[in-house]
């Protein structure tokens, strides 16, 4: 538990810490983690406003997490609900006031809101105290709701949230709302860039890139922890990777419509032209002004390289497209990068992108069933894909499936 001084010190630094995060999903995870720490809450959730509905977007639960094996993640379903006063989150959204309940099972039946017990019954969990706070910007715009559940005493027993907790959380929510709105704007900007690509290539949808970004972060976290990479570096890199992975095919904006929208298989000449999209994507970020530019360029350039060296574009000068002199083959082409010479983010996105492409409907094919997709990944481990990453992927299927459900095609 944090002391009062530690809470004040933490609040002072909170804005700076959150401003270092760019990606929306990782921002929500950080907000929820920090808010629970402030009030020593066992669990919590974030609901985000989408049009006229509240979407249950992110959740954490220490009690349920402890029931899992080490390294496993809590799997949950997202859903949306109308904004009305019948639910705790809806009531707080409409009134703009916090709601602090000592025991959600003892709400007066005459109250306009009630607690839905479905989650507790399904998960064998007992929600007791609940503190629900509006996430409102300084301009009065409500972004959503932050809810923390089951404050704990030093012995871990559930207790009510105090009036002091309400004050701290309201201050916390004000800071969090500003950074959350910024992250939403960043995500919207990324999706607009992807929408431009989608106008050219119907395969590049917001759902597809969100799934690829989600898979990529899961793969990177497990790969990095195997190598004992410091946690602060993991958190920084996963933020950059998620956004970069979403933009892996942005270079397709430079490819002709006749190729991008061809319903059948590309011929050899068309395929050679299509290959240029990886170089074109890297060029968009060539004038590096940040770590994100470097990460996005590496992903765009390398996500079609193959573990055995048969991928593309290989060792090229991105500005000219010409092979680097020492890597020019006798036929004039560039040698492909192989093994660990391929940057790890490129290897990760290669696997994430192929898994999603095979699992999804395309104009030229139906979605493959999961068994066939996984068989293909296993078969291509050590040739197309980094075999260690395939092993990690296959060991994380529950999480990958939850990402598929979270970002369904519309």
């Amino acid at each position: 538990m944090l002391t009062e001084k530690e809470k004040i010190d933490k609040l002072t630094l909170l804005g700076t810490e959150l401003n270092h995060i760019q990606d929306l999903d990782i921002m929500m995870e950080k907000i929820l983690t920090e808010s629970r720490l402030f009030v020593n809450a066992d669990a919590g959730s974030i609901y985000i406003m989408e049009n006229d509905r509240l979407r249950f977007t992110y959740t954490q639960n220490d009690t349920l997490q402890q029931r899992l094996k080490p390294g496993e993640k809590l799997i949950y379903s997202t859903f949306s609900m109308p904004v009305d006063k019948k639910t705790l989150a809806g009531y707080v959204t409409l009134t703009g006031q916090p709601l602090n309940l000592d025991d959600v099972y003892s709400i007066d039946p005459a109250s306009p809101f009630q607690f839905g017990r479905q989650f507790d019954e399904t998960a064998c969990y007992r929600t007791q105290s609940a503190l629900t706070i509006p996430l409102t910007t300084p301009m009065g715009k409500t972004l959503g709701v932050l809810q923390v559940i089951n404050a704990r005493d030093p012995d871990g027993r559930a207790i009510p949230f105090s009036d002091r907790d309400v004050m701290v959380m309201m201050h916390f929510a004000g800071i969090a709302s500003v950074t959350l709105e910024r992250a939403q704007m960043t995500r919207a900007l990324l999706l607009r860039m992807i929408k431009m690509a989608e106008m050219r290539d119907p395969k590049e949808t917001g759902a597809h890139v969100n799934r690829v970004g989600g898979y990529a972060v899961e793969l990177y976290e497990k790969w990095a922890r195997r190598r004992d990479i410091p946690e602060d570096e993991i958190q920084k890199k996963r933020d950059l990777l998620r956004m970069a992975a979403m933009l892996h095919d942005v270079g397709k904006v430079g490819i002709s419509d006749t190729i991008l929208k061809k319903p059948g298989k590309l011929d050899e000449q068309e395929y050679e032209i299509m290959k240029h999209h990886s170089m074109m994507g890297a060029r968009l970020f060539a004038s590096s002004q940040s770590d994100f530019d470097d990460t996005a360029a590496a992903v765009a350039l390398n996500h079609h390289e193959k573990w055995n060296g048969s991928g593309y574009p290989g060792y090229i000068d991105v500005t000219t497209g010409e092979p680097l002199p020492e890597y020019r083959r006798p036929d004039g082409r560039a040698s492909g990068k192989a093994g660990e010479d391929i940057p790890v983010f490129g290897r990760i996105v290669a696997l994430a992108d192929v898994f999603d492409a095979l699992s999804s409907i395309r104009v030229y094919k139906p979605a493959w069933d999961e068994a066939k997709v996984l068989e293909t990944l296993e078969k291509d481990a050590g040739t197309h894909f980094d075999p260690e990453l395939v092993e990690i992927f296959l060991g994380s299927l529950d999480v990958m499936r939850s990402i598929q459900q979270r970002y369904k095609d519309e």
Side-chain angles (χ1 to χ4, degrees), residues 35 86 168 189 319:
S35 66
K86 296 178 181 179
V168 169
L189 180 60
T319 59

Side-chain angles (χ1 to χ4, degrees), residues 281-299:
R283 282 179 181 170
L284 290 174
F285 305 100
S287 299
S288 177
Q289 299 180 17
S290 67
D291 290 341
F292 170 69
D293 287 335
D294 295 338
T295 305
V299 167

Side-chain angles (χ1 to χ4, degrees), residues 332-381:
R333 297 171 181 265
S335 296
K337 298 170 187 173
E340 294 189 356
D341 286 343
I342 306 168
V344 66
F345 286 171
R347 305 195 315 259
I348 286 172
V349 174
L351 178 56
D353 188 30
V354 170
F355 172 78
D356 197 68
L358 296 180
S359 302
S360 304
I361 297 172
R362 293 288 186 259
V363 292
Y364 53 85
K365 73 166 189 69
W368 290 13
D369 64 77
E370 186 183 84
K372 184 179 179 182
V373 175
L374 299 181
E375 180 184 351
T376 300
L377 298 189
E378 288 187 275
K379 176 175 66 70
D380 290 346

Side-chain angles (χ1 to χ4, degrees), residues 88 99-107 113 126-131 149-151 158-163 166:
L88 308 188
L99 192 60
N100 185 16
L101 301 172
D102 293 350
D103 188 348
V104 295
Y105 281 63
S106 300
I107 297 173
F113 53 80
R126 172 60 162 93
T127 300
Q128 186 169 316
S129 55
L131 174 55
I149 293 168
N150 288 357
I159 59 173
F161 291 96
S162 67
D163 291 341
V166 176

Side-chain angles (χ1 to χ4, degrees), residues 310-352:
S310 65
Y312 66 86
Y315 293 96
I316 63 168
D317 181 332
V318 173
T319 59
T320 66
E322 291 297 311
L324 297 176
E326 63 270 35
Y327 294 103
R328 184 184 295 273
R329 301 186 322 199
D331 63 2
R333 297 171 181 265
S335 296
K337 298 170 187 173
E340 294 189 356
D341 286 343
I342 306 168
V344 66
F345 286 171
R347 305 195 315 259
I348 286 172
V349 174
L351 178 56

